[in-house]
């Protein structure tokens, strides 16, 4: 039994009381030490191997209540029992409020002392076991949550891979479009990583990047290639692609917030975009990020009609259209990332 190895400390300024208590406690199988005052008691307690302290309340120098408070500040797991003369019951009750396990009134019957010590040690063991159990439980919950998150992440990854390859094998158009989507996804996730998004939100933005143009599945390759000379009705067709994407992906509930980000990836900061003409903060921040990443990739890629823009000219475009087409904060952050002065530019707050 654990009580056989428990170390007890008896603190009392009266040598006879200490002597009787320690002798009787040792006879009952406890290891026992004694202190004649609170100062000596604290020195022993700080050594750290006591389970229980039996302390007188009225002692010269420092009283038992102060000792109790000090013991609890050093090690709240030590059970403290106060020993008091009858007229001090009020003190004893105060001590209980301060965390003492119990109190014994003098003159005491040793059987009562023993029961009181056993009860306090049992209570202490229960508290310690309960805490250990809770800690293990918490550990298990954390572990399980991590596993579930990992499974969800893998499931989403599988799903997105399946949708992406399906979309591109049906040939939204070609490998070029697929490369565009992967680059947009990577840049958008990198921008989001510099803002205060959660890992889950960054994953949603990345997935939205991968799938943002999937709605182009219904548009002919010829139209998609003529970027600069579209007729008004052809342009109307192109403008449908965010809504088409939303319709295609709607049944896949695992996509969560990505859908909303895809729907709004062509909204402009000044409200001139499509499909809903949202402006400023009405546009989900993830969509404002996608727009910058999308435009950047389109500008620096080998475009069918105009070829790639040099990086400097593309940066200029981002700057010129900042505040009208692009969210100025996002554009500024991305420009600083492109220029590689990441360390000097402050991260943007959402
Ligand atoms: Fe698009
Ligand atoms: Fe795009």
């Amino acid at each position: 039994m654990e009580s056989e190895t428990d170390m007890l400390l008896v603190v009392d300024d009266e040598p006879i009381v200490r002597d009787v208590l320690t002798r009787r406690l040792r006879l009952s199988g406890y290891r026992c030490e004694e202190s004649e005052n609170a100062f000596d008691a604290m020195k022993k307690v700080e050594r750290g191997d006591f389970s229980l302290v039996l302390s007188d309340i009225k002692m010269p120098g420092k009283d038992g209540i102060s000792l109790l408070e000090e013991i609890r500040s050093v090690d709240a797991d030590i059970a403290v029992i106060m020993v008091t003369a009858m007229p001090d019951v009020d003190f004893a009750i105060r001590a209980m409020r301060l965390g003492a396990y119990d109190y014994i009134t003098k003159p005491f019957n040793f059987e009562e002392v023993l029961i009181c010590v056993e009860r306090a040690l049992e209570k202490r063991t229960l508290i310690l076991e309960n805490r250990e159990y809770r800690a293990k439980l918490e550990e298990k919950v954390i572990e399980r949550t991590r596993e579930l998150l990992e499974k969800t992440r893998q499931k989403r990854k599988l799903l997105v891979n399946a949708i992406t390859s399906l979309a591109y094998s049906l040939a939204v158009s070609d490998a070029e479009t697929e490369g565009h989507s992967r680059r947009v996804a990577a840049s958008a996730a990198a921008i989001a990583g510099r803002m205060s998004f959660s890992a889950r939100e960054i994953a949603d933005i990345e997935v939205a990047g991968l799938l943002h143009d999937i709605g182009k599945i219904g548009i002919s390759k010829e139209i998609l290639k003529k970027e600069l000379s579209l007729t008004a009705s052809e342009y109307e067709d192109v403008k449908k692609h965010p809504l088409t994407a939303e319709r295609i992906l709607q049944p896949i509930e695992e996509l969560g917030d990505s859908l909303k980000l895809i729907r709004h990836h062509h909204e402009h900061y000044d409200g001139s975009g499509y499909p809903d003409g949202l402006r400023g903060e009405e546009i989900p921040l993830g969509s404002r990020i996608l727009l910058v990443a999308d435009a950047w990739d389109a500008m620096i890629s080998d475009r069918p009609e105009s070829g790639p823009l040099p990086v400097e000219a593309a940066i200029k475009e981002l700057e010129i259209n900042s505040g009208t087409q692009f969210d100025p904060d996002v554009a500024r952050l991305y420009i600083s990332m492109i220029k590689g002065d990441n360390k000097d530019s402050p991260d943007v707050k959402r």
Side-chain angles (χ1 to χ4, degrees):
M1 226 179 94
E2 200 197 324
S3 63
E4 284 168 6
T5 58
D6 279 320
M7 178 71 105
L8 274 46
L9 179 63
V10 174
V11 192
D12 202 305
D13 55 320
E14 289 176 57
I16 297 173
V17 178
R18 287 202 308 274
D19 193 46
V20 171
L21 276 175
T22 48
R23 235 169 344 109
R24 297 294 303 267
L25 287 167
R26 280 183 190 128
L27 277 175
S28 304
Y30 294 106
R31 290 181 298 146
C32 209
E33 287 194 26
E34 54 187 279
S35 288
E36 60 179 341
N37 58 50
F39 302 102
D40 182 64
M42 270 323 288
K43 270 189 210 147
K44 290 192 165 122
V45 162
E46 276 162 4
R47 273 191 350 233
D49 46 6
F50 290 99
S51 306
L52 182 141
V53 175
L54 259 168
S55 172
D56 190 17
I57 289 189
K58 280 210 170 146
M59 292 184 287
K62 192 190 285 178
D63 67 8
I65 301 278
S66 310
L67 176 62
L68 165 68
E69 287 180 307
E70 266 187 62
I71 291 174
R72 291 192 58 77
S73 72
V74 169
D75 183 350
D77 291 333
I78 296 176
V80 181
I81 296 173
M82 307 309 296
V83 183
T84 175
M86 264 304 192
D88 298 334
V89 170
D90 281 351
F91 268 109
I93 291 170
R94 212 179 117 211
M96 296 289 287
R97 290 213 180 97
L98 288 172
Y101 270 50
D102 211 341
Y103 68 91
I104 305 166
T105 49
K106 287 187 215 173
F108 44 72
N109 159 328
F110 193 75
E111 288 311 309
E112 271 173 39
V113 175
L114 206 58
I115 289 172
C116 185
V117 165
E118 277 171 9
R119 213 168 40 207
L121 287 173
E122 267 168 25
K123 184 177 160 193
R124 175 179 181 268
T125 307
L126 267 180
I127 290 173
L128 294 180
E129 283 175 355
N130 189 21
R131 186 184 309 146
E132 198 182 332
Y133 174 75
R134 275 216 318 266
K136 276 197 184 136
L137 196 69
E138 269 167 32
E139 231 171 70
K140 264 193 195 153
V141 170
I142 291 171
E143 173 94 344
R144 188 84 190 97
T145 311
R146 204 178 292 134
E147 280 171 20
L148 276 175
L149 275 176
E150 180 56 21
K151 269 195 193 139
T152 313
R153 208 180 62 84
Q154 281 174 359
K155 212 168 129 194
R156 275 163 63 90
K157 204 171 155 198
L158 256 170
L159 188 77
V160 170
N161 283 346
I163 298 168
T164 315
S165 41
L166 176 72
Y168 296 113
S169 66
L170 287 176
V172 166
S173 60
D174 45 32
E176 210 174 279
T177 315
E178 184 180 356
H180 164 73
S181 296
R182 293 199 187 284
R183 289 189 300 272
V184 169
S187 308
I191 298 172
R194 291 289 303 273
M195 303 170 88
S196 34
F197 283 102
S198 67
R200 170 71 206 239
E201 289 169 322
I202 295 177
D204 283 340
I205 292 172
E206 191 174 13
V207 168
L210 280 173
L211 300 174
H212 74 282
D213 278 339
I214 206 167
K216 288 184 177 170
I217 207 162
I219 305 171
S220 76
K221 280 186 193 178
E222 288 65 39
I223 292 181
L224 288 176
K225 288 213 157 117
K226 334 173 352 193
E227 175 194 350
L228 297 176
S229 47
L230 288 173
T231 66
S233 89
E234 285 169 342
Y235 185 49
E236 284 310 309
D237 269 355
V238 170
K239 277 165 67 177
K240 285 180 191 151
H241 78 273
L243 294 175
T244 310
E246 192 179 42
R247 212 171 44 245
I248 295 172
L249 301 171
Q250 195 101 59
I252 310 166
E253 54 185 57
E254 282 86 347
L255 291 177
D257 282 346
S258 301
L259 275 198
K260 187 179 65 183
L261 304 185
I262 293 171
R263 178 185 176 108
H264 297 298
H265 80 273
H266 279 287
E267 304 282 4
H268 288 181
Y269 201 68
D270 63 2
S272 66
Y274 60 88
D276 298 311
L278 300 184
R279 62 173 67 223
E281 312 249 311
E282 292 170 354
I283 310 165
L285 182 51
S287 302
R288 284 178 259 154
I289 291 174
L290 284 174
L291 182 72
V292 169
D294 190 15
W296 177 262
D297 192 70
M299 289 190 288
I300 62 156
S301 297
D302 193 7
R303 295 170 297 177
E305 296 192 351
S306 49
L309 265 186
V311 169
E312 277 312 314
I315 288 177
K316 193 106 223 122
E317 280 299 310
L318 283 188
E319 282 168 349
I320 291 169
N321 296 296
S322 169
T324 48
Q325 190 175 350
F326 307 118
D327 176 330
D329 288 339
V330 177
R332 197 179 317 115
L333 171 63
Y334 194 46
I335 289 169
S336 81
M337 288 167 69
I338 291 161
K339 288 181 174 170
D341 54 358
N342 303 8
K343 283 164 248 98
D344 304 329
S345 67
D347 284 5
V348 172
K349 294 271 171 292
R350 292 168 66 191

